[in-house]
């Protein structure tokens, strides 16, 4: 069978898949690495581990293809957005990769907002002004490490780093990833002069922006390691969010995609760049004529993982010994399924890693409200899941306000294996949720986009129609009505505690030297 390999570099793992001509998965691998948290508000990755993981994932899937007797006809790349890494002139990393979850640029973000420049920047670049964005991260370097900013030959993100590791080609980045930097004008298709001035970065330090269907060549070294022909097309691909829409079949009008991994997002596809006047939604490219609008939330599966680590130390189901974190979290979710909607008066603001959409207000922190003596661990876990789904519902409400009607949800990500997650999501959004019959929708999206680049699917909706669905979950009417009434309290509570948590941050002691942590989610 002729297959395409998709490599998806995520926050805590790189996934590799090989997919056949109708999207059937022929091989699958995953390479994990830790997220480093060297201090409050920091979130970094080792870029050497990241590139090594991409190569290993490609090696492993290519080997599986040979064992299956399949022929690899192309490779497609996916990468998570909003990362920043200093790079040498030959593409080697010169420091840690700063991830989307890193909040060090909060002060720079607040200054841009206070100056009233944020809405115009977002309208031109499609990216909200937020500490997640490379725009504000570079502004932080300009104020705190100006020498590093000025003397670094290249500044890039995950895609630039992986492309440099896999090819000997030029310094390029795809339109999709560029549209998520906050530095690129998605309407005039050039690096934005005002954004570059704020970031104190020069055009020559940034990559050339190319279409997501651009074909590159593997380096001879990587070709030897993988056993693939050096001339197999390497399609530069797109960002993980837009590719997830394609990989779950959510490109037609009225269909939206939800990703529920470490973080989460709700997105729908439109046919041209568009801006949200209220500043609630991002706009990123999938191809030159298909764009994705939506909102990302910082906290999804990571919230249940935190609950398991915090509330279930030594927890074991009867008859289970030595179960790993995934099994423990699944058991906690089964417990939580016995709690009714609303967690009996318990409201969770699940902002453990801050929050993004729809408010894009740095400094938000998590909280439980309404906590009483009779609340138990299952209540705490269910309330956390409800909090994540309510945040995604606030994004869906923003769609409605902008006239982007959605009638169906396609879901992907590790959390959708849980019926509790999917059921609460369907009721919070008040929409039927269809779960794609593939564990790696984003990597599959990279495969489908690569086939589109090869000319197999001139219409992306034709490719999306190949994606099989494993199950449909309708909303529970009573739960949906309850969540709709509860949602205004979520927004009121989140914004009401913002000043309090800001003061708490000022009172928090600085971390002791040598207390760097590595987090695996």
């Amino acid at each position: 069978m002729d297959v395409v390999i998709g490599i998806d570099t995520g926050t805590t793992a790189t996934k590799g898949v090989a997919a056949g001509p109708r999207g059937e998965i022929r091989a699958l691998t995953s390479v994990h690495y830790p997220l480093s948290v060297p201090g409050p508000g920091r979130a970094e990755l080792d870029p050497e581990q990241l590139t090594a993981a991409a190569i290993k994932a490609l090696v492993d899937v290519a080997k599986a293809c040979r064992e299956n007797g399949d022929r690899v006809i192309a490779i497609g790349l996916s990468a998570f957005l909003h990362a920043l890494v200093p790079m040498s002139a030959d593409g080697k990393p010169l420091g840690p990769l700063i991830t989307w979850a890193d909040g060090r640029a909060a002060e720079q973000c607040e200054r841009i907002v206070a100056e009233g420049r944020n809405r115009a920047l977002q309208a031109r670049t499609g990216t909200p002004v937020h500490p997640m964005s490379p725009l504000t991260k570079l502004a932080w370097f300009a104020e705190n490490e100006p020498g590093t900013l000025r003397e670094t030959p290249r500044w890039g993100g995950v895609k630039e780093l992986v492309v440099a590791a896999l090819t000997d080609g030029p310094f390029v980045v795809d339109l999709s990833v560029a549209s998520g930097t906050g530095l690129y004008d998605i309407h005039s298709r050039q690096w934005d002069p005002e954004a570059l001035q704020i970031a104190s970065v020069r055009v020559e330090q940034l990559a050339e922006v190319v279409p997501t269907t651009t074909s590159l060549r593997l380096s001879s070294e990587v070709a030897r390691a993988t056993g693939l022909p050096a001339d197999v097309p390497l399609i530069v691909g797109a960002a993980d969010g837009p590719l997830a829409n394609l990989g779950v079949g959510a490109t037609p009008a009225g269909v939206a995609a939800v990703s529920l991994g470490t973080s989460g997002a709700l997105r729908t596809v439109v046919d041209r760049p568009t801006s949200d006047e209220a500043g609630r939604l991002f706009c990123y490219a999938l191809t030159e004529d298909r764009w994705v609008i939506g909102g990302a939330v910082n906290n999804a599966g990571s919230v249940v993982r935190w609950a398991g680590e915090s509330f279930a130390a030594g927890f074991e189901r009867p008859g289970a010994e030595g179960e790993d974190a995934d099994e423990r979290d699944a058991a906690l979710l089964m417990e939580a399924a016995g709690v009714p909607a609303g967690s009996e008066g318990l409201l969770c603001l699940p902002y453990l890693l801050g929050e993004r959409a729809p408010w894009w207000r740095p400094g938000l922190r998590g909280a439980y409200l309404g906590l009483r003596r009779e609340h138990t661990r299952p209540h705490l876990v269910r309330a956390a899941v409800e909090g994540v789904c309510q945040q995604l519902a606030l994004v869906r409400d923003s769609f409605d306000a902008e006239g982007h009607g959605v009638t169906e949800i396609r879901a992907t990500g590790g959390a959708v294996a849980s019926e509790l997650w999917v059921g609460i999501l369907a009721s919070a959004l008040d929409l039927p949720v269809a779960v794609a019959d593939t564990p790696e929708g984003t990597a599959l999206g990279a495969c489908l986009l690569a086939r589109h680049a090869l000319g197999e699917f001139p219409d992306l909706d034709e490719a999306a129609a190949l994606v099989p669905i494993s199950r449909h979950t309708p909303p529970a009417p009573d739960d949906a009505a309850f969540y709709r009434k509860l949602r205004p309290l979520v927004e009121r509570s989140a914004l009401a505690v913002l000043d309090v948590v800001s003061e708490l941050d000022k009172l928090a002691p600085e971390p002791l030297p040598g207390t760097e942590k590595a987090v695996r989610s």
Side-chain angles (χ1 to χ4, degrees):
M1 183 179 291
D2 284 350
V3 300
V4 172
I5 293 177
I7 300 297
D8 172 35
T9 302
T11 310
T12 57
T14 292
K15 309 294 180 63
V17 303
R22 299 198 61 78
E24 58 271 53
I25 301 301
R26 300 282 291 173
L28 177 65
T29 192
S30 183
V31 183
H32 292 265
Y33 31 80
L35 177 69
S36 173
V37 184
R42 303 293 180 95
E44 300 174 351
L45 287 169
D46 181 339
E48 299 282 2
Q49 290 185 344
L50 213 63
T51 54
I55 294 171
K56 178 170 173 48
L58 185 56
V59 168
D60 290 349
V61 176
K63 178 182 177 182
C65 290
R66 287 193 299 274
E67 293 172 348
N68 292 338
D70 294 335
R71 182 172 73 105
V72 178
I73 61 170
I75 302 163
L77 299 181
S78 167
F80 69 84
L81 283 170
H82 313 310
L84 182 70
V85 61
M87 300 170 67
S88 66
D90 60 354
K92 299 295 190 296
L94 299 176
L97 183 136
I98 304 170
T99 74
W100 56 268
D102 192 286
R104 73 184 67 186
E107 183 178 339
Q108 288 71 33
C109 174
E110 290 170 1
R111 186 177 304 121
I112 295 170
V113 173
E115 292 170 354
R117 307 169 80 174
N118 57 309
R119 289 293 172 82
L121 280 166
Q122 181 174 346
R124 292 197 307 275
T125 68
T127 304
V129 174
H130 186 272
M132 71 177 184
S133 74
L135 164 66
T136 58
K137 290 179 171 74
L138 286 165
W140 181 91
F141 274 96
E143 293 185 27
N144 294 275
E145 298 183 24
T148 300
L149 178 61
R150 183 176 57 253
E151 296 165 11
T152 296
R154 297 179 175 182
W155 287 96
V158 177
K159 184 62 72 68
E160 295 96 318
L161 191 69
V162 171
V163 166
L166 296 180
T167 77
D168 293 325
F171 184 37
V172 298
V173 65
D174 62 81
L175 173 65
S176 182
V177 169
S179 67
T181 61
L183 299 163
Y184 189 77
D185 188 324
I186 60 177
H187 305 281
S188 66
R189 307 292 174 89
Q190 63 180 355
W191 295 112
D192 185 80
E194 183 184 5
L196 297 185
Q197 179 266 325
I198 292 171
S200 298
V201 70
R202 305 183 303 276
V203 171
E204 55 267 28
Q205 291 175 288
L206 303 176
E208 175 190 357
V209 180
V210 298
T212 59
T213 51
T214 298
S215 180
L216 304 171
R217 284 175 61 96
L218 290 176
S219 70
S220 56
E221 181 181 355
V222 172
R224 283 193 302 271
T226 58
L228 294 171
D231 60 353
V232 64
L234 176 72
I235 307 303
V236 66
D240 57 350
L243 284 174
N245 273 65
L246 178 57
V248 298
T251 58
V255 183
V258 167
S259 297
L260 283 173
T262 304
S263 58
L266 175 66
R267 303 168 304 272
T268 193
V269 175
V270 295
D271 60 7
R272 64 185 182 278
T274 184
S275 59
D276 163 30
E277 290 187 5
R280 293 165 297 193
L281 304 174
F282 57 61
C283 181
Y284 305 142
L286 175 55
T287 63
E288 292 187 288
D289 57 2
R290 303 298 292 273
W291 295 74
V292 169
I293 60 169
V297 299
N298 281 5
N299 311 271
S302 57
V303 178
V304 172
R305 179 58 46 89
W306 165 81
E309 293 168 347
S310 303
F311 304 149
F315 168 68
E316 291 184 348
R317 291 176 290 111
E321 294 183 3
E323 59 188 353
D324 64 17
D326 289 338
E327 292 172 330
R328 178 202 62 204
D329 295 350
L332 290 177
L333 290 167
M334 289 180 64
E335 276 191 346
V339 175
S343 302
E344 297 187 307
L346 185 61
L347 174 67
C348 177
L349 305 179
Y351 313 137
L352 303 180
L353 294 170
E355 193 49 284
R356 287 182 280 177
W359 311 306
W360 307 101
R361 295 288 296 272
L364 284 172
R365 298 290 182 266
Y368 279 99
L369 302 176
L371 190 63
R372 302 192 306 273
R373 172 65 182 81
E374 53 267 32
H375 287 133
T376 60
R377 181 173 64 206
H379 292 87
L380 295 170
V381 173
R382 179 173 183 122
V385 174
E386 290 179 331
V388 172
C389 294
Q390 286 281 51
Q391 201 69 26
L392 290 167
L394 286 164
V395 177
R396 183 265 163 99
D397 292 344
S398 301
F399 283 4
D400 291 345
E402 292 298 309
H404 301 294
V406 174
T407 58
E408 182 185 350
I409 298 295
R410 298 286 182 91
T412 186
V416 301
S418 163
E419 292 186 5
L420 180 66
W421 265 108
V422 176
I424 292 175
L425 179 67
S427 294
L429 298 178
D430 199 10
L431 289 170
V433 173
V435 175
D437 190 19
T438 173
E440 302 301 340
T442 303
L444 177 58
C447 295
L448 295 175
L449 182 62
R451 288 188 179 274
H452 171 68
L454 297 179
E456 291 187 28
F457 300 114
D459 184 351
L460 280 181
D461 290 348
E462 182 184 354
L466 297 176
V467 178
I469 299 301
S470 63
R471 68 183 193 273
H472 293 264
T473 301
D478 290 345
D479 292 356
F482 176 82
Y483 289 136
R484 195 178 308 115
K485 292 178 182 177
L486 184 64
R487 199 138 57 243
L489 296 182
V490 175
E491 184 167 9
R492 283 172 53 193
S493 301
L495 299 181
V497 302
L498 187 57
D499 289 341
V500 174
V501 296
S502 177
E503 293 299 318
L504 286 174
D505 282 348
K506 294 175 184 177
L507 294 173
E510 289 296 316
L512 296 174
T515 57
E516 177 178 334
K517 296 185 293 182
V519 178
R520 188 184 299 275
S521 298

